[in-house]
Amino acid sequence: GVFRDVAQVLLCSNAVAIFNAELLRNIAKTAWARQEAGITLWIFLALSSMCLAVSLIWDRREREHQRSLSRSESLSPKERFMLAASRRSELAQAAPEEELESE
């Protein structure tokens, strides 16, 4: 996967030397991290991390939705009919409640 490829690139390059603990501590000590360009970088990293987290959540939901669709496709015609009928009755029961709430 992607993470394995990134790990392989980091292990096979000089990038590992960039990410050692002493150099990472020096990032916070220098003034660039509090200047306009540094603040822009931190904002970009934060937004990128949030977008990644949201995309992972959406991906998980989509995967679960696809699994539920594939499960319903494996049902027999009679089971599909019964499932559809139960959903219709649930909707019919919910509809009068919604009408009462709106009045």
Side-chain angles (χ1 to χ4, degrees), residues 27-51:
I27 288 175
K29 292 179 184 178
T30 58
W32 76 267
R34 291 178 290 281
Q35 293 175 352
E36 292 172 1
I39 291 170
T40 303
L41 173 67
W42 296 123
I43 291 171
F44 173 76
L45 289 173
L47 291 175
S48 297
S49 298
M50 288 185 339
C51 288

mmCIF file of all heavy atoms in Angstrom, residues 27-51:
data_model
loop_
_atom_site.group_PDB
_atom_site.id
_atom_site.type_symbol
_atom_site.label_atom_id
_atom_site.label_comp_id
_atom_site.label_asym_id
_atom_site.label_seq_id
_atom_site.Cartn_x
_atom_site.Cartn_y
_atom_site.Cartn_z
ATOM 1 N N ILE A 27 13.549 22.619 15.060
ATOM 2 C CA ILE A 27 12.503 23.324 14.309
ATOM 3 C C ILE A 27 11.764 24.286 15.233
ATOM 4 O O ILE A 27 11.487 25.421 14.866
ATOM 5 C CB ILE A 27 11.527 22.312 13.672
ATOM 6 C CG1 ILE A 27 12.209 21.600 12.509
ATOM 7 C CG2 ILE A 27 10.256 23.012 13.196
ATOM 8 C CD1 ILE A 27 11.386 20.503 11.903
ATOM 9 N N ALA A 28 11.454 23.836 16.426
ATOM 10 C CA ALA A 28 10.723 24.690 17.364
ATOM 11 C C ALA A 28 11.591 25.802 17.934
ATOM 12 O O ALA A 28 11.073 26.833 18.357
ATOM 13 C CB ALA A 28 10.159 23.838 18.495
ATOM 14 N N LYS A 29 12.915 25.623 17.960
ATOM 15 C CA LYS A 29 13.810 26.627 18.535
ATOM 16 C C LYS A 29 14.072 27.802 17.596
ATOM 17 O O LYS A 29 14.380 28.886 18.055
ATOM 18 C CB LYS A 29 15.145 25.978 18.903
ATOM 19 C CG LYS A 29 15.045 25.001 20.058
ATOM 20 C CD LYS A 29 16.386 24.397 20.351
ATOM 21 C CE LYS A 29 16.299 23.346 21.437
ATOM 22 N NZ LYS A 29 17.592 22.716 21.686
ATOM 23 N N THR A 30 13.959 27.584 16.309
ATOM 24 C CA THR A 30 14.299 28.644 15.369
ATOM 25 C C THR A 30 13.122 29.589 15.166
ATOM 26 O O THR A 30 11.968 29.249 15.390
ATOM 27 C CB THR A 30 14.732 28.053 14.007
ATOM 28 O OG1 THR A 30 13.672 27.251 13.514
ATOM 29 C CG2 THR A 30 15.985 27.218 14.146
ATOM 30 N N ALA A 31 13.451 30.800 14.689
ATOM 31 C CA ALA A 31 12.433 31.841 14.540
ATOM 32 C C ALA A 31 11.558 31.639 13.308
ATOM 33 O O ALA A 31 10.460 32.185 13.244
ATOM 34 C CB ALA A 31 13.111 33.209 14.478
ATOM 35 N N TRP A 32 11.997 30.855 12.334
ATOM 36 C CA TRP A 32 11.217 30.705 11.095
ATOM 37 C C TRP A 32 9.838 30.116 11.356
ATOM 38 O O TRP A 32 8.892 30.402 10.628
ATOM 39 C CB TRP A 32 11.953 29.859 10.062
ATOM 40 C CG TRP A 32 11.932 28.393 10.363
ATOM 41 C CD1 TRP A 32 12.850 27.687 11.039
ATOM 42 C CD2 TRP A 32 10.898 27.464 10.018
ATOM 43 N NE1 TRP A 32 12.479 26.381 11.147
ATOM 44 C CE2 TRP A 32 11.282 26.215 10.519
ATOM 45 C CE3 TRP A 32 9.698 27.558 9.332
ATOM 46 C CZ2 TRP A 32 10.513 25.074 10.364
ATOM 47 C CZ3 TRP A 32 8.925 26.415 9.180
ATOM 48 C CH2 TRP A 32 9.329 25.199 9.684
ATOM 49 N N ALA A 33 9.723 29.287 12.393
ATOM 50 C CA ALA A 33 8.443 28.619 12.674
ATOM 51 C C ALA A 33 7.376 29.618 13.110
ATOM 52 O O ALA A 33 6.192 29.319 13.044
ATOM 53 C CB ALA A 33 8.635 27.557 13.750
ATOM 54 N N ARG A 34 7.793 30.809 13.550
ATOM 55 C CA ARG A 34 6.838 31.822 13.987
ATOM 56 C C ARG A 34 6.722 32.985 13.016
ATOM 57 O O ARG A 34 6.035 33.958 13.290
ATOM 58 C CB ARG A 34 7.235 32.320 15.376
ATOM 59 C CG ARG A 34 7.038 31.239 16.448
ATOM 60 C CD ARG A 34 7.465 31.687 17.819
ATOM 61 N NE ARG A 34 8.902 31.842 17.990
ATOM 62 C CZ ARG A 34 9.757 30.840 18.188
ATOM 63 N NH1 ARG A 34 9.326 29.608 18.219
ATOM 64 N NH2 ARG A 34 11.031 31.066 18.367
ATOM 65 N N GLN A 35 7.391 32.886 11.881
ATOM 66 C CA GLN A 35 7.272 33.916 10.847
ATOM 67 C C GLN A 35 6.136 33.550 9.902
ATOM 68 O O GLN A 35 5.564 32.463 9.986
ATOM 69 C CB GLN A 35 8.585 34.048 10.087
ATOM 70 C CG GLN A 35 9.701 34.588 10.959
ATOM 71 C CD GLN A 35 11.028 34.599 10.239
ATOM 72 O OE1 GLN A 35 11.156 34.075 9.135
ATOM 73 N NE2 GLN A 35 12.030 35.188 10.870
ATOM 74 N N GLU A 36 5.801 34.469 8.995
ATOM 75 C CA GLU A 36 4.644 34.272 8.105
ATOM 76 C C GLU A 36 4.723 32.971 7.313
ATOM 77 O O GLU A 36 3.751 32.219 7.240
ATOM 78 C CB GLU A 36 4.514 35.458 7.169
ATOM 79 C CG GLU A 36 4.115 36.737 7.865
ATOM 80 C CD GLU A 36 4.182 37.937 6.940
ATOM 81 O OE1 GLU A 36 4.516 37.775 5.754
ATOM 82 O OE2 GLU A 36 3.886 39.035 7.412
ATOM 83 N N ALA A 37 5.871 32.691 6.733
ATOM 84 C CA ALA A 37 6.011 31.468 5.934
ATOM 85 C C ALA A 37 5.871 30.222 6.804
ATOM 86 O O ALA A 37 5.239 29.232 6.404
ATOM 87 C CB ALA A 37 7.340 31.464 5.212
ATOM 88 N N GLY A 38 6.427 30.261 8.000
ATOM 89 C CA GLY A 38 6.318 29.126 8.907
ATOM 90 C C GLY A 38 4.893 28.895 9.368
ATOM 91 O O GLY A 38 4.416 27.756 9.418
ATOM 92 N N ILE A 39 4.192 29.978 9.682
ATOM 93 C CA ILE A 39 2.793 29.862 10.099
ATOM 94 C C ILE A 39 1.950 29.307 8.960
ATOM 95 O O ILE A 39 1.076 28.464 9.168
ATOM 96 C CB ILE A 39 2.274 31.222 10.588
ATOM 97 C CG1 ILE A 39 2.970 31.588 11.900
ATOM 98 C CG2 ILE A 39 0.762 31.196 10.775
ATOM 99 C CD1 ILE A 39 2.721 33.000 12.373
ATOM 100 N N THR A 40 2.240 29.748 7.739
ATOM 101 C CA THR A 40 1.531 29.223 6.566
ATOM 102 C C THR A 40 1.762 27.716 6.444
ATOM 103 O O THR A 40 0.832 26.963 6.158
ATOM 104 C CB THR A 40 1.993 29.941 5.294
ATOM 105 O OG1 THR A 40 1.778 31.343 5.454
ATOM 106 C CG2 THR A 40 1.266 29.437 4.068
ATOM 107 N N LEU A 41 2.986 27.301 6.662
ATOM 108 C CA LEU A 41 3.303 25.872 6.604
ATOM 109 C C LEU A 41 2.517 25.096 7.661
ATOM 110 O O LEU A 41 1.946 24.044 7.360
ATOM 111 C CB LEU A 41 4.799 25.643 6.801
ATOM 112 C CG LEU A 41 5.224 24.174 6.924
ATOM 113 C CD1 LEU A 41 4.996 23.450 5.608
ATOM 114 C CD2 LEU A 41 6.662 24.076 7.369
ATOM 115 N N TRP A 42 2.475 25.596 8.912
ATOM 116 C CA TRP A 42 1.756 24.900 9.980
ATOM 117 C C TRP A 42 0.258 24.820 9.671
ATOM 118 O O TRP A 42 -0.372 23.792 9.913
ATOM 119 C CB TRP A 42 1.979 25.571 11.327
ATOM 120 C CG TRP A 42 3.406 25.541 11.790
ATOM 121 C CD1 TRP A 42 4.184 26.615 12.106
ATOM 122 C CD2 TRP A 42 4.254 24.393 11.955
ATOM 123 N NE1 TRP A 42 5.439 26.200 12.462
ATOM 124 C CE2 TRP A 42 5.513 24.843 12.390
ATOM 125 C CE3 TRP A 42 4.066 23.026 11.782
ATOM 126 C CZ2 TRP A 42 6.570 23.980 12.650
ATOM 127 C CZ3 TRP A 42 5.126 22.170 12.040
ATOM 128 C CH2 TRP A 42 6.347 22.639 12.470
ATOM 129 N N ILE A 43 -0.298 25.910 9.133
ATOM 130 C CA ILE A 43 -1.722 25.889 8.762
ATOM 131 C C ILE A 43 -1.962 24.859 7.668
ATOM 132 O O ILE A 43 -2.924 24.084 7.716
ATOM 133 C CB ILE A 43 -2.185 27.294 8.334
ATOM 134 C CG1 ILE A 43 -2.214 28.224 9.543
ATOM 135 C CG2 ILE A 43 -3.558 27.241 7.666
ATOM 136 C CD1 ILE A 43 -2.442 29.681 9.200
ATOM 137 N N PHE A 44 -1.092 24.829 6.659
ATOM 138 C CA PHE A 44 -1.216 23.858 5.579
ATOM 139 C C PHE A 44 -1.137 22.428 6.112
ATOM 140 O O PHE A 44 -1.932 21.567 5.725
ATOM 141 C CB PHE A 44 -0.122 24.097 4.531
ATOM 142 C CG PHE A 44 -0.074 23.049 3.473
ATOM 143 C CD1 PHE A 44 -1.018 23.029 2.459
ATOM 144 C CD2 PHE A 44 0.901 22.063 3.489
ATOM 145 C CE1 PHE A 44 -0.983 22.052 1.481
ATOM 146 C CE2 PHE A 44 0.938 21.085 2.517
ATOM 147 C CZ PHE A 44 -0.007 21.078 1.513
ATOM 148 N N LEU A 45 -0.199 22.174 7.010
ATOM 149 C CA LEU A 45 -0.073 20.827 7.579
ATOM 150 C C LEU A 45 -1.306 20.447 8.390
ATOM 151 O O LEU A 45 -1.782 19.309 8.307
ATOM 152 C CB LEU A 45 1.185 20.737 8.445
ATOM 153 C CG LEU A 45 2.514 20.751 7.696
ATOM 154 C CD1 LEU A 45 3.668 20.818 8.679
ATOM 155 C CD2 LEU A 45 2.639 19.527 6.801
ATOM 156 N N ALA A 46 -1.844 21.389 9.156
ATOM 157 C CA ALA A 46 -3.042 21.106 9.941
ATOM 158 C C ALA A 46 -4.232 20.820 9.033
ATOM 159 O O ALA A 46 -4.977 19.851 9.252
ATOM 160 C CB ALA A 46 -3.344 22.276 10.875
ATOM 161 N N LEU A 47 -4.429 21.650 8.007
ATOM 162 C CA LEU A 47 -5.551 21.433 7.082
ATOM 163 C C LEU A 47 -5.395 20.125 6.314
ATOM 164 O O LEU A 47 -6.372 19.404 6.102
ATOM 165 C CB LEU A 47 -5.689 22.613 6.121
ATOM 166 C CG LEU A 47 -6.168 23.921 6.746
ATOM 167 C CD1 LEU A 47 -6.133 25.043 5.707
ATOM 168 C CD2 LEU A 47 -7.557 23.764 7.314
ATOM 169 N N SER A 48 -4.182 19.812 5.906
ATOM 170 C CA SER A 48 -3.945 18.549 5.202
ATOM 171 C C SER A 48 -4.261 17.357 6.093
ATOM 172 O O SER A 48 -4.864 16.376 5.647
ATOM 173 C CB SER A 48 -2.489 18.464 4.733
ATOM 174 O OG SER A 48 -2.214 19.475 3.818
ATOM 175 N N SER A 49 -3.869 17.446 7.361
ATOM 176 C CA SER A 49 -4.157 16.359 8.299
ATOM 177 C C SER A 49 -5.655 16.206 8.514
ATOM 178 O O SER A 49 -6.172 15.080 8.559
ATOM 179 C CB SER A 49 -3.474 16.626 9.642
ATOM 180 O OG SER A 49 -2.085 16.673 9.468
ATOM 181 N N MET A 50 -6.369 17.321 8.622
ATOM 182 C CA MET A 50 -7.824 17.247 8.798
ATOM 183 C C MET A 50 -8.485 16.656 7.559
ATOM 184 O O MET A 50 -9.401 15.834 7.675
ATOM 185 C CB MET A 50 -8.393 18.638 9.104
ATOM 186 C CG MET A 50 -8.041 19.112 10.487
ATOM 187 S SD MET A 50 -8.759 20.692 11.045
ATOM 188 C CE MET A 50 -9.198 21.559 9.606
ATOM 189 N N CYS A 51 -8.039 17.060 6.375
ATOM 190 C CA CYS A 51 -8.608 16.497 5.139
ATOM 191 C C CYS A 51 -8.351 14.998 5.050
ATOM 192 O O CYS A 51 -9.231 14.241 4.639
ATOM 193 C CB CYS A 51 -8.030 17.205 3.918
ATOM 194 S SG CYS A 51 -8.630 18.878 3.694
#
